[in-house]
Amino acid sequence: MNILVFAEVIENEVQEITYELVGKANQLADKVVTLAVGEADVNSINSDVIQVEGESSPLNYVVVKKVFEELKPSAVFFGNTLAGIDVAAQFAADMALPIATMVTDVSVDGDGFVATSVAYGGKVMVDLALKSPAVFVVNRGSFPAEDGKGSAKSVKKLDIEIEDGIEFAGYIKPEVEDIDISKADIVVSVGRGIGDEANIELAEELAEVLGGVVSGSRPVVDSGWLPKTRQVGRSGKTVAGKLYLALGISGATEHIEGVKAKNVIAVNIDRNAPIFRVSRCGAVADVLELVPLLIERIKEVKGE
Ligand SMILES: Cc1cc2nc3c(=O)[nH]c(=O)nc-3n(C[C@H](O)[C@H](O)[C@H](O)COP(=O)(O)OP(=O)(O)OC[C@H]3O[C@@H](n4cnc5c(N)ncnc54)[C@H](O)[C@@H]3O)c2cc1C
């Protein structure tokens, strides 16, 4: 079996999602080829690589089509990112291939595949059976990136002309980020239950003693208590580290969609808050009372 991975290259840099996809593809297939469009250094991608001159653009579906026709892979993996979705949808439609989106896992099933996918805004997970060849648009944080990192087995440079009426105007950078919460191992996250902007300081102190970073739910960001770059959830970022400490967060579906951390611990005054359903453990308590005690205790344990 061979799998083609479409690399996410932004401003000449291979993005982390690419390594996640390559890692999973390596588990499933004997041969993995990563297609990178752009000038990026592709030597750390743990697969064969085809590099094509160009830049991030929806028109890259033309490049994917040409490489697909040549390699005839069993599957094509894209990241569920703005760039990935643009290319994957047009490519699958043009080639009349089955496509699974919002994918969190893929396995081989006989001659085809089974994809686990998020449906109804995260309320249910569905298993989809797809005939080969198929297209998979995979959510960030679904697979470890380390498995896709190493050294490229080969790098082949190709020139593929894109003739289309659309012109790529340019890439608009998102807000400058102070901290990238999606890369943090420990995330202390605050919700509306924190009560007031002044109390964010408590979360910051807790994050500091734990060696983590602070994020928040949408209402906290909408209130201007934290910058947009710290928002977790459907319209924010996905966190996928070791620990997610949810302080005064109810656990709405749109929030939980962005929580892929291995361990979720919640603190909430409402014992029926939905966040407890996705938590490994939790405390029914007032965050404003519990967090100062927690900080004190952690400092004691650390001998500070
Ligand atoms: C299209 C769409 C996209 C969205 N995208 C996002 C997104 O990306 N991220 C996101 O977060 N939301 C998103 N939302 C909003 C989401 O639906 C919820 O409204 C939001 O997540 C609720 O935030 P919250 O848990 O902080 O607030 P609330 O739902 O108000 O919950 C506050 C919680 O704090 C608890 N509490 C109160 N006081 C205390 C205290 N002293 N100590 C302990 N606990 C206390 C309460 O019991 C409650 O459970 C989106 C909604 C839509 C429609």
Side-chain angles (χ1 to χ4, degrees), residues 190-193 216-220 231-236 248-252 254-255 267-270 273 285-288:
V190 290
R192 204 168 358 213
S217 66
R218 181 156 138 180
V220 167
Q231 184 178 319
V232 173
R234 183 186 297 178
S235 40
I249 294 176
S250 58
E254 294 84 2
H255 183 82
V267 181
N268 200 298
I269 42 167
D270 176 7
D286 185 330
V287 281
L288 302 179

Side-chain angles (χ1 to χ4, degrees), residues 95-127:
M95 304 294 291
L97 294 177
I99 181 168
T101 59
M102 305 280 281
V103 170
T104 60
D105 201 6
V106 185
S107 56
V108 176
D109 184 30
D111 292 340
F113 297 93
V114 172
T116 305
S117 170
V118 178
Y120 298 107
K123 285 196 172 65
V124 291
M125 304 297 288
V126 291
D127 279 348

Side-chain angles (χ1 to χ4, degrees), residues 41-250:
D41 177 358
V42 292
N43 289 309
S44 56
I45 300 175
N46 187 15
S47 72
D48 289 302
V49 178
I50 292 177
Q51 190 164 28
V52 178
E53 218 176 282
E55 50 205 334
S56 177
S57 156
L59 301 181
N60 285 333
Y61 76 91
V62 177
V63 178
V64 183
K65 266 172 73 173
K66 294 217 163 126
V67 173
F68 178 88
E69 276 156 4
E70 168 117 12
L71 298 181
K72 302 193 171 33
S74 317
V76 188
F77 284 7
F78 292 87
N80 187 15
T81 61
L82 287 180
I85 296 165
D86 265 349
V87 178
Q90 182 75 56
F91 165 71
D94 263 33
M95 304 294 291
L97 294 177
I99 181 168
T101 59
M102 305 280 281
V103 170
T104 60
D105 201 6
V106 185
S107 56
V108 176
D109 184 30
D111 292 340
F113 297 93
V114 172
T116 305
S117 170
V118 178
Y120 298 107
K123 285 196 172 65
V124 291
M125 304 297 288
V126 291
D127 279 348
L128 305 166
L130 291 93
K131 281 188 186 153
S132 172
V135 177
F136 300 90
V137 184
V138 180
N139 285 356
R140 265 202 193 102
S142 298
F143 311 119
E146 290 66 40
D147 296 353
K149 289 182 181 167
S151 49
K153 295 186 173 63
S154 68
V155 179
K156 188 172 155 189
K157 304 231 175 196
L158 280 187
D159 227 357
I160 298 177
E161 280 293 312
I162 301 178
E163 280 172 29
D164 200 301
I166 309 170
E167 196 182 319
F168 178 60
Y171 176 69
I172 300 170
K173 254 192 175 173
E175 256 178 80
V176 176
E177 300 193 13
D178 46 356
I179 284 168
D180 187 355
I181 57 167
S182 70
K183 298 210 170 102
D185 248 356
I186 298 177
V187 179
V188 175
S189 203
V190 290
R192 204 168 358 213
I194 198 80
D196 190 80
E197 182 173 12
N199 298 330
I200 301 277
E201 226 176 82
L202 264 183
E204 272 161 1
E205 206 183 328
L206 181 57
E208 199 185 322
V209 293
L210 286 172
V213 300
V214 174
S215 68
S217 66
R218 181 156 138 180
V220 167
V221 169
D222 286 349
S223 305
W225 299 352
L226 285 174
K228 174 78 181 152
T229 50
R230 306 285 189 103
Q231 184 178 319
V232 173
R234 183 186 297 178
S235 40
K237 290 196 155 193
T238 299
V239 291
K242 288 186 188 142
L243 173 66
Y244 187 72
L245 196 50
L247 306 176
I249 294 176
S250 58

Side-chain angles (χ1 to χ4, degrees), residues 5-45:
V5 173
F6 180 71
E8 173 112 353
V9 177
I10 294 182
E11 295 198 306
N12 300 338
E13 263 193 46
V14 175
Q15 304 297 302
E16 204 69 359
I17 179 98
T18 307
Y19 301 109
E20 296 175 17
L21 300 176
V22 170
K24 183 64 188 179
N26 277 332
Q27 277 177 17
L28 300 175
D30 337 305
K31 185 168 171 65
V32 176
V33 178
T34 302
L35 167 62
V37 182
E39 284 305 307
D41 177 358
V42 292
N43 289 309
S44 56
I45 300 175

